[in-house]
DNA sequence: AATAAGGATCGAA
DNA sequence: TTCGATCCTTATT
């Protein structure tokens, strides 16, 4: 398919970040050191953070337990599909010094990915932000920035991303990040990249993130997937009939077409034209009509 | 009238 | 060249 340079760059940046993260085990250390972390806003009190909302729990916190370090948690807790991340399988570590066995490398990457994803999860709970950066509000973007700055000892850059919601942030390229905050922009971009890819582990196999990058214009099938993955917002106009098989139904063709037109800045878009584009996918093997078909019902083709 | 399928043409990247 | 966007004809429901 498309050979996106930005994609490869992003993946590489991810990998190197995973490794650096792996080497600095206690990424939550700065929080653990904060004694009054359970007091809402205490940890971030020095940040003048208006939206600081740290969930206080009477029970033990998962990341506090991590302090005892996971007893060699076997990868059995994660299904094999989680390890089938294409970027993890395809890209060797350029930073890896010395000859390392490939299967060993895979194991390391697996552990690193699991570790990072756990941290992302706990960060979500702690910051009260959704896992998908596309869903972030302006305030949540600021939360994430402050969090990342603290966690990785980056200089304060949040002011450079004022007034930006998650979608805005995701549409920035790596160059944009570097332009805004020089040498740390790339790091920040890579961290965002990790969050952006986090969602894939819960998705069906045909929901490939590899084309989920903002650099190139979004494609129709990606857009449809986006809507489908946000049922809270769009289930009234498009929804799954069978998520496992990738079968979905457009409930409000005019509305979906309007959304597509807005996204592509094509005010004259309608379902007639949108559906023509969908039909183009038949030949490409991206979308098809399911066996038990019907009006406004389509199916994502599961890639081999 | 709304949808489905697909040909033809054109433009942007 | 690819990925639609636009327009159009024919057929189905």
């Amino acid at each position: 398919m498309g050979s996106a340079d930005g994609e490869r760059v992003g993946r590489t940046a991810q990998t190197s970040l995973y490794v650096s993260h792996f080497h600095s085990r206690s990424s939550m250390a700065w929080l653990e050191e904060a004694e009054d972390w359970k007091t809402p806003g205490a940890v971030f009190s020095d940040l003048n953070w208006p939206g600081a909302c740290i969930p206080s729990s009477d029970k033990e916190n998962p990341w506090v337990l991590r302090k005892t370090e996971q007893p060699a948690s076997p990868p059995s807790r994660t299904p094999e599909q989680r390890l089938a991340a294409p970027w993890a399988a395809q890209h060797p570590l350029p930073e890896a010094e010395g000859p390392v066995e490939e299967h060993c490398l895979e194991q390391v990457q697996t552990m690193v990915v699991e570790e990072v994803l756990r941290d992302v999860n706990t960060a979500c709970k702690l910051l009260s932000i959704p896992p998908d950066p596309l869903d972030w509000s302006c305030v949540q973007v600021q939360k994430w920035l402050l969090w990342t700055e603290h966690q990785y000892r980056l200089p304060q850059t949040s002011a450079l991303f004022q007034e930006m919601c998650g979608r805005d942030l995701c549409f920035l390229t790596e160059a944009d990040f570097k332009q805004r905050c020089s040498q740390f922009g790339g790091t920040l971009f890579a961290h965002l990249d990790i969050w952006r890819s986090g969602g894939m582990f819960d998705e069906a196999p045909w929901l490939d993130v590899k084309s989920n990058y903002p650099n190139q214009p979004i494609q129709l099938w990606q857009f449809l997937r986006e809507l489908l993955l946000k049922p809270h917002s769009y289930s009234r106009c498009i929804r799954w009939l069978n998520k496992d098989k990738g079968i979905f139904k457009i409930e409000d063709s005019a509305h979906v077409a309007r959304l597509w037109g807005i996204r592509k800045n094509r005010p004259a878009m309608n379902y007639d034209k949108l559906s023509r584009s969908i039909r183009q996918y038949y030949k490409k093997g991206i979308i098809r009509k399911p066996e038990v078909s019907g009006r406004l019902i389509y199916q994502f083709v599961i890639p081999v």
Side-chain angles (χ1 to χ4, degrees):
Chain A
M1 292 298 171
S3 68
D5 262 321
E7 179 183 325
R8 195 170 56 243
V9 168
R11 294 282 98 96
T12 306
Q14 265 191 21
T15 307
S16 71
L17 264 183
Y18 284 142
V19 172
S20 69
H21 178 100
F22 186 65
H23 287 321
S24 63
R25 247 10 203 18
S26 54
S27 59
M28 299 285 177
W30 70 274
L31 256 182
E32 295 181 33
E33 288 158 9
E35 296 184 12
D36 295 324
W37 68 269
K38 281 185 178 177
T39 306
V43 172
F44 300 100
S45 56
D46 57 325
L47 300 177
N48 187 25
W49 182 4
C53 174
I54 300 180
S56 58
S57 168
D58 294 326
K59 300 177 179 179
E60 69 275 340
N61 253 296
W63 59 266
V64 168
L65 286 182
R66 281 188 55 251
K67 201 164 186 175
T68 59
E69 207 53 50
Q70 86 273 42
S73 67
S76 59
R77 61 193 300 278
T78 51
E80 73 292 338
Q81 279 183 352
R82 294 194 162 207
L83 315 180
W87 44 265
Q90 288 170 8
H91 297 288
L93 290 179
E95 301 84 359
E97 53 266 42
V100 184
E101 302 296 333
E102 254 176 64
H103 63 278
C104 178
L105 203 54
E106 257 179 83
Q107 282 186 318
V108 169
Q109 285 179 321
T110 294
M111 293 174 65
V112 170
V113 169
E114 288 176 8
E115 180 82 3
V116 168
L117 286 178
R118 267 198 297 276
D119 280 0
V120 166
N121 267 331
T122 51
C124 281
K125 290 171 188 163
L126 205 58
L127 301 175
S128 299
I129 63 176
D132 188 351
L134 283 169
D135 292 330
W136 292 346
S137 67
C138 295
V139 171
Q140 288 167 336
V141 164
Q142 293 296 311
K143 279 187 184 183
W144 178 80
L145 286 168
L146 288 167
W147 162 270
T148 308
E149 289 160 11
H150 263 76
Q151 189 142 332
Y152 300 97
R153 309 283 195 269
L154 303 177
Q156 279 210 321
T157 56
S158 47
L160 301 170
F161 298 92
Q162 290 284 346
E163 310 281 318
M164 295 189 72
C165 69
R167 181 168 297 281
D168 297 331
L169 201 65
C170 289
F171 270 72
L172 293 180
T173 64
E174 187 171 13
D176 292 330
F177 270 88
K178 285 178 175 170
Q179 189 189 344
R180 282 170 190 258
C181 35
S182 63
Q183 67 264 45
F184 303 102
T187 308
L188 214 50
F189 177 82
H191 279 292
L192 182 65
D193 197 53
I194 289 174
W195 281 72
R196 285 178 60 76
S197 63
M200 79 178 126
F201 297 96
D202 295 322
E203 291 168 3
W206 49 266
L207 291 173
D208 200 330
V209 276
K210 71 177 161 199
S211 310
N212 196 20
Y213 274 76
N215 310 18
Q216 52 268 7
I218 191 170
Q219 290 176 236
L220 177 56
W221 67 269
Q222 300 173 276
F223 174 76
L224 295 175
R225 186 195 61 175
E226 268 190 32
L227 300 186
L228 286 162
L229 292 180
K230 295 177 170 59
H232 183 70
S233 304
Y234 302 109
S235 63
R236 281 161 300 284
C237 64
I238 184 172
R239 66 182 180 89
W240 295 117
L241 290 187
N242 185 330
K243 183 168 181 178
D244 292 330
K245 292 183 178 176
I247 301 174
F248 62 95
K249 175 169 185 178
I250 296 174
E251 300 283 5
D252 185 338
S253 58
H255 189 43
V256 172
R258 198 175 342 123
L259 292 171
W260 175 236
I262 289 170
R263 174 65 78 86
K264 290 290 295 288
N265 196 23
R266 226 20 51 143
M269 182 54 58
N270 56 29
Y271 181 68
D272 178 53
K273 290 181 270 193
L274 184 149
S275 64
R276 182 69 190 90
S277 290
I278 291 180
R279 269 175 251 126
Q280 291 287 156
Y281 287 142
Y282 294 172
K283 191 189 310 187
K284 299 177 188 173
I286 297 175
I287 289 178
R288 68 177 186 187
K289 273 288 190 181
E291 299 79 6
V292 278
S293 187
R295 287 191 148 206
L296 301 169
I297 297 176
Y298 299 93
Q299 177 178 23
F300 284 100
V301 175
I302 301 175
V304 286

